[in-house]
Amino acid sequence: MDAPPAVASFLQRLGRSGRRAGTQRNCLFLATSEESLLRILGLLELWSSGYVEPVIPPQKPYPILTQQVMALCLQETGIGRHTWSEWLRGVFHTAQLSAAGCEQMVEHMLQCGYLFEDQGILSIGGAGERTYGKRNYMQLFSVFDSPPLFKVVHGRTELGSVHQSTFQVKLDKPISLSLGGHSWRVKHVDWKRRQVFVEPGNEPGKSRWFSAGQPLAYDHCQAILRVLAGSVSDVALSNRAVSKREAVLSEYEWVDTESTSIVSDDKGTSWWTFGGGVLNSAIAAELGDGCGSVQYDNFAIDFRGKGLSEHVAERIRALLQEGPEITPPVSDEVREEYKFGECVPDLLLDEMIALRFSCVEQWNELKLRRVNIVHRHWRLACRN
């Protein structure tokens, strides 16, 4: 039903079929919306080219390192202040951990009371016991967190879930979500309970295809761009799927794989980057000042208001020419989402988060493309 989040997930599901002798592997996708159909076609576009998401170990995992240090203190009934790293020597290179950074982390844990030092021996401190000591240090047995999703609630009705990156950009107007075919205005975000309280909204349907909640990867969005530009993978489609695909493609006849497009209509202006949720959130943060109310989804950044196209185009060209390093904003609430994050100095935690959400390569690729300005049904090609 609908599209898995990644090619690897699709291959995992496909591997559950065709196991009996004399049978072939087979997977039938049932798309429940235009959005779902495009995600499926983009996924199959990637799969047909032999693409599978790379498995990359998390860089600079300082929160996990703090858990390992505290666990070693319990296991060994104390470990040496300058010898504990010998237990984890094999991790340091692949995780890109520096000796200086690890020393800063240990010093921070000592100052905050998560660790205690006596004659060069580290043990669990008072704050460590209070925070993690319940049920015989059960919290130290796992370093896994739940996905960073927030439950969207209207009254007593649960509408779905959205990714925390939805709320990382500070806007001058309430955030609007599109869930279940309706527009919802965000009233309150409860970061501790991971809930979002909403009310029906009247915003135009510009926050497209956000109902799945999680940001799509850059490569997946670029595959959807190629599908909208006419690329067809060697997969069997039903007659209804073919008809719906052609109808969707006719709405996006301005799409060009060599360009990004600034599309203006009577509802506002949108910059269609097909950059994915993480990159678009970073771009929206950079363009937020001076462009009115800015929102984003996996495919575009939206600027509300009439007559914005020229002003927005100038801002976008300036951003592309200046070439700053684009990084999604990090808020206190995002820092708090990391288990054991309180044991890590803010400077190191921000460095780790920046690496996790890094979109430098995607941004550099995007800057090389032309920018098309599209007014309704006509367009003027412009160089960056």
Side-chain angles (χ1 to χ4, degrees), residues 72-308:
L72 282 170
C73 287
L74 293 174
Q75 174 181 299
E76 300 301 308
T77 319
I79 56 175
R81 167 74 184 267
H82 302 291
T83 60
W84 66 266
S85 58
E86 295 178 2
W87 289 82
L88 304 169
R89 190 175 302 278
V91 178
F92 280 59
H93 178 69
T94 55
Q96 298 185 4
L97 294 167
S98 67
C102 293
E103 178 59 28
Q104 291 179 43
M105 181 200 74
V106 171
E107 185 62 32
H108 176 80
M109 295 180 72
L110 287 168
Q111 292 178 3
C112 295
Y114 295 109
L115 292 177
F116 175 77
E117 182 180 7
D118 182 19
Q119 297 182 358
I121 301 299
L122 299 176
S123 58
I124 299 293
E129 291 181 359
R130 290 189 298 271
T131 306
Y132 307 112
K134 297 178 181 178
R135 299 176 61 190
N136 198 21
Y137 292 95
M138 180 66 71
Q139 287 198 53
L140 291 183
F141 292 174
S142 172
V143 297
F144 296 104
D145 282 329
S146 57
L149 299 180
F150 282 67
K151 183 191 302 182
V152 181
V153 179
H154 175 235
R156 296 185 178 181
T157 303
E158 182 179 339
L159 303 174
S161 298
V162 296
H163 194 271
Q164 70 179 24
S165 62
T166 308
F167 315 107
Q168 288 181 206
V169 178
K170 302 296 183 181
L171 304 174
D172 56 0
K173 293 184 179 180
I175 297 174
S176 293
L177 305 176
S178 179
L179 289 169
H182 299 282
S183 178
W184 304 94
R185 185 184 301 110
V186 173
K187 295 172 56 181
H188 175 67
V189 179
D190 188 335
W191 286 87
K192 187 174 182 180
R193 297 182 179 179
R194 308 176 72 87
Q195 288 187 332
V196 182
F197 298 92
V198 298
E199 61 184 4
N202 298 318
E203 290 289 326
K206 297 280 280 187
S207 56
R208 301 155 299 273
W209 307 337
F210 215 73
S211 57
Q214 299 189 46
L216 291 184
Y218 176 82
D219 290 329
H220 193 170
C221 291
Q222 290 295 300
I224 292 174
L225 169 64
R226 293 192 293 272
V227 168
L228 290 174
S231 177
V232 179
S233 57
D234 187 20
V235 295
L237 299 179
S238 68
N239 291 334
R240 284 195 297 173
V242 171
S243 176
K244 179 60 67 174
R245 182 189 63 186
E246 296 303 319
V248 172
L249 262 60
S250 67
E251 298 177 10
Y252 296 89
E253 57 184 3
W254 42 265
V255 166
D256 180 356
T257 57
E258 302 299 323
S259 310
T260 63
S261 298
I262 301 173
V263 180
S264 179
D265 57 26
D266 58 352
K267 297 178 181 178
T269 305
S270 299
W271 184 22
W272 290 79
T273 65
F274 293 91
V278 173
L279 176 58
N280 282 354
S281 72
I283 296 174
E286 290 289 337
L287 293 173
D289 295 334
C291 285
S293 178
V294 181
Q295 297 186 21
Y296 71 92
D297 59 19
N298 289 303
F299 307 121
I301 297 100
D302 291 332
F303 308 88
R304 308 291 183 176
K306 298 180 180 180
L308 283 173

Side-chain angles (χ1 to χ4, degrees), residues 29-48:
F29 289 97
L30 301 177
T32 60
S33 65
E34 290 183 3
E35 169 198 358
S36 173
L37 177 61
L38 284 175
R39 292 190 183 208
I40 291 170
L41 293 175
L43 198 71
L44 295 177
E45 167 79 11
L46 290 174
W47 168 73
S48 298

